[in-house]
Amino acid sequence: MLVAVVVGSGIQATELTRDVGVQLLANSLATVFGLGVLIALLGPVSGAHFNPAVTLAAWFTGRDRDGLTLRDVAAYVPAQIAGAIGGAILADAMFARPLVKLSTHDRSAGHLWLGEVVATAGLILLIFGLGRIGRAAIAPAAVASYIGAAYWFTSSTSFANPAVTIGRAFTDTFAGIAPASVVPFIAAQLLGTALGLSAVAVVYGRPVPAGDEVVVPHGEPELASS
């Protein structure tokens, strides 16, 4: 559903106006609202793990405690990628576009990769920082707001999600990314993940408590550590 929102709103925007700024505004607003709703709706079910970068970060920080296991990661990541591809196909179907047409939107440039590093690092810092200060309940609004802002302040328009990046390669529309651009984008996102976790350690001094509740709590609430 997340990728259906991103791709579908991009298609709708390009059909309604030729102004690229208005197209980006429409696309970003739809993504903000859609992402916020999806986190609020699915956070209590799965922790709203839509993003392999977040899932890997949760496993890494909680590997020595009662956090996500490698088995969890092995289940989550394929589901995230399959969902992203399915979302792109669904959006194309809703707008009578070819169901699968690889994107020709080249995004291969150093400044775009830098934008992805910054976007992903900020996202990781936000999500795990909220967990550290006991504010995970505001994640739907906070994460959606950050992604909306990052659409505009990063050169890459903030994919910040390896699964979403892969899914968007399957649609030759406004939101697409050429397959040749996918691997460098994902590499930048993984680098951003590492930098984001480092920033959490610097800001908060100790590793974050991780697990499958890093996005939205879905169980008995726990007090944040001091």
Side-chain angles (χ1 to χ4, degrees):
M1 288 305 300
L2 174 59
V3 176
V5 169
V6 173
V7 174
S9 62
I11 296 173
Q12 184 78 285
T14 56
E15 291 186 351
L16 294 175
T17 179
R18 294 189 178 184
D19 187 313
V20 177
V22 176
Q23 291 172 358
L24 184 61
L25 178 62
N27 189 213
S28 61
L29 285 175
T31 300
V32 166
F33 294 134
L35 179 59
V37 167
L38 289 172
I39 294 174
L41 181 65
L42 298 177
V45 178
S46 67
H49 278 263
F50 308 146
N51 189 334
V54 174
T55 298
L56 288 170
W59 164 76
F60 181 79
T61 57
R63 65 193 185 284
D64 297 325
R65 298 182 295 281
D66 188 21
L68 287 181
T69 65
L70 279 176
R71 183 176 180 179
D72 296 324
V73 174
Y76 271 65
V77 173
Q80 292 158 347
I81 295 173
I85 295 171
I89 294 172
L90 175 61
D92 284 336
M94 288 191 292
F95 287 90
R97 300 295 181 93
L99 295 186
V100 176
K101 186 176 181 182
L102 296 180
S103 176
T104 57
H105 191 165
D106 180 67
R107 298 179 189 264
S108 298
H111 67 283
L112 299 180
W113 303 334
L114 176 60
E116 278 302 283
V117 171
V118 172
T120 310
L123 178 64
I124 295 298
L125 175 59
L126 170 63
I127 290 173
F128 287 83
L130 288 175
R132 285 298 303 277
I133 62 177
R135 300 283 181 85
I138 68 170
V143 173
S145 297
Y146 173 79
I147 291 298
Y151 251 90
W152 289 92
F153 80 77
T154 66
S155 56
S156 64
T157 66
S158 183
F159 285 48
N161 184 325
V164 166
T165 303
I166 293 171
R168 288 169 67 166
F170 286 79
T171 177
D172 192 21
T173 59
F174 176 81
I177 178 172
S181 302
V182 168
V183 172
F185 256 55
I186 292 177
Q189 291 157 0
L190 294 178
L191 175 57
T193 300
L195 293 176
L197 287 177
S198 298
V200 172
V202 170
V203 172
Y204 297 102
R206 292 168 52 189
V208 305
D212 53 0
E213 297 189 14
V214 295
V215 179
V216 176
H218 57 287
E220 293 299 320
E222 297 181 0
L223 293 177
S225 60
S226 60

